[in-house]
């Protein structure tokens, strides 16, 4: 299981600037809503360091989640294949989805409080400049929130992470099998399958990602030519209310920034994890 930790934590950490831009775009209003425009506005107002906000939560949270996700997926595939005669290539689509989703249920439970802290660090001005330890203490002490809100946030996290993991792992597995059946070399099949899996996983999990950011956002900043103000903290709304307010189009907010962000993450994770499996001679 630990083999999924380094690619999980490392790949998410390297793409933190894109994640910051995506999260701020989902929580704030910008005159120029392009990736470069939002990034430039953040740097102009808060400095380059603002683009690295929340990297500690990202590293530890997704490191733990990656270890549980990848390790759990491989373990459950072995268990499922054992009941099917020991051939993992014989596992059907539904069996693969069930293995991926089950592993993610555990991984997301560990990830949830750290992901909430990351979003607060990026979007809530009260957390500005906090170290990871200080942000964690502030989060834990929040009235009617903090640690007590973790359980209520799990459904929102699952709305993002279950489609993300199921589509990522299953599509990568299926694409690899399909391309391998064409007698293509793994040096070609793996990057192509990882790239396709990243794009699909990003789009499948985008509504849940927007919902997670919107329900956990703190104080909203309006950034424009004539406005530069910090509003009072938003009252916490239910995920259902947020989803209804945003609608289908609103739930896809930030997908352009996120598709680059997620594809980079998934591409790196899958190739590194396959390389680790090769070194350990772990059967697929």
């Amino acid at each position: 299981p630990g083999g999924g930790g380094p690619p999980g934590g490392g790949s998410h950490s390297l793409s933190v600037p894109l994640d910051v831009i995506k999260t701020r775009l989902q929580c704030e209003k910008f005159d120029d809503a392009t990736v470069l425009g939002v990034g430039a506005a953040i740097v102009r107002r808060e400095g380059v360091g603002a683009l690295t906000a929340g990297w500690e939560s990202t590293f530890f949270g997704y490191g733990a989640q990656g270890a549980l996700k990848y390790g759990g997926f491989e373990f459950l595939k072995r268990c499922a294949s054992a009941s099917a005669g020991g051939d993992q290539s014989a596992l059907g689509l539904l069996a693969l989805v069930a293995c991926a989703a089950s592993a993610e249920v555990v991984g997301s439970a560990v990830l949830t409080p750290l992901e909430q802290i990351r979003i607060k660090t990026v979007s809530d001005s009260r957390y500005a400049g906090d170290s990871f330890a200080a942000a964690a203490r502030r989060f834990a002490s929040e009235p009617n929130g903090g640690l007590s809100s973790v359980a209520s946030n799990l459904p929102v996290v699952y709305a993002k992470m279950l489609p993300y993991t199921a589509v990522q792992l299953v599509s990568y597995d299926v694409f690899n099998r399909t391309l391998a059946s064409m007698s293509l070399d793994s040096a070609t099949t793996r990057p192509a399958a990882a790239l396709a899996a990243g794009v699909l996983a990003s789009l499948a999990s985008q509504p849940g990602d927007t919902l997670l950011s919107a329900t956990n956002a703190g104080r909203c900043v309006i950034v424009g030519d004539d406005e530069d103000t910090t509003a009072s903290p938003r009252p916490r709304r239910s995920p259902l209310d947020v989803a209804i307010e945003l609608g289908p189009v609103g739930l896809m907010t930030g997908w352009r920034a996120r598709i680059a962000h997620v594809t980079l993450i998934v591409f790196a994770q899958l190739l590194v994890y396959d390389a680790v499996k090769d070194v350990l001679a772990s059967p697929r």
Side-chain angles (χ1 to χ4, degrees), residues 27-122:
C27 301
E28 304 173 14
K29 304 295 183 184
F30 291 87
D31 283 345
D32 184 353
T34 64
V35 174
L36 291 178
V38 174
I42 293 171
V43 171
R44 185 169 57 251
R45 295 181 65 254
E46 304 167 38
V48 176
L51 294 177
T52 65
W55 75 264
E56 301 100 324
S57 302
T58 297
F59 179 79
F60 292 119
Y62 283 97
Q65 181 260 356
L68 293 166
K69 174 179 75 174
Y70 287 108
F73 183 58
E74 295 297 329
F75 173 75
L76 292 172
K77 279 202 303 181
R78 291 183 188 180
C79 292
S81 65
S83 63
D87 183 7
Q88 290 191 15
S89 64
L91 291 177
L93 188 62
L94 288 179
L96 291 172
V97 169
C99 291
S102 298
E104 187 55 54
V105 165
V106 179
S108 287
V110 174
L111 170 66
T112 296
L114 292 163
E115 180 70 350
Q116 288 181 262
I117 293 171
R118 182 197 68 79
I119 293 172
K120 293 285 189 181
T121 303
V122 173

Side-chain angles (χ1 to χ4, degrees), residues 96-279:
L96 291 172
V97 169
C99 291
S102 298
E104 187 55 54
V105 165
V106 179
S108 287
V110 174
L111 170 66
T112 296
L114 292 163
E115 180 70 350
Q116 288 181 262
I117 293 171
R118 182 197 68 79
I119 293 172
K120 293 285 189 181
T121 303
V122 173
S123 67
D124 193 328
S125 60
R126 294 170 297 174
Y127 285 71
D130 279 357
S131 65
F132 171 68
R137 287 194 297 270
R138 186 187 298 276
F139 175 74
S141 65
E142 284 190 353
N144 302 318
L147 295 178
S148 65
S149 70
V150 172
S152 63
N153 262 275
L154 269 175
V156 186
V157 173
Y158 286 148
K160 169 187 174 180
M161 297 305 298
L162 290 180
Y164 169 77
T165 292
V167 171
Q168 172 196 343
L169 295 181
V170 174
S171 63
Y172 182 65
D173 206 286
V174 170
F175 286 142
N176 255 324
R177 292 184 195 178
T178 303
L179 294 173
S181 69
M182 301 176 186
S183 301
L184 297 174
D185 185 81
S186 63
T188 301
T189 61
R190 287 180 178 179
L195 185 65
V199 172
L200 293 176
S202 175
L203 294 175
S205 59
Q206 180 61 48
D209 183 74
T210 302
L211 192 60
L212 181 64
S213 294
T215 54
N216 282 283
R219 301 182 178 187
C220 181
V221 180
I222 310 300
V223 180
D225 293 334
D226 301 319
E227 288 186 286
D228 188 358
T229 60
T230 301
S232 59
R234 300 175 182 174
R236 183 173 176 81
R237 296 173 295 167
S238 72
L240 181 59
D241 289 341
V242 174
I244 292 173
E245 178 183 327
L246 292 174
V249 175
L251 286 171
M252 294 301 291
T253 299
W255 73 268
R256 291 180 179 84
R258 189 168 179 266
I259 203 167
H261 168 225
V262 171
T263 301
L264 172 64
I265 287 171
V266 171
F267 186 81
Q269 280 185 12
L270 292 173
L271 295 186
V272 170
Y273 189 63
D274 259 351
V276 171
K277 289 202 300 182
D278 287 344
V279 170

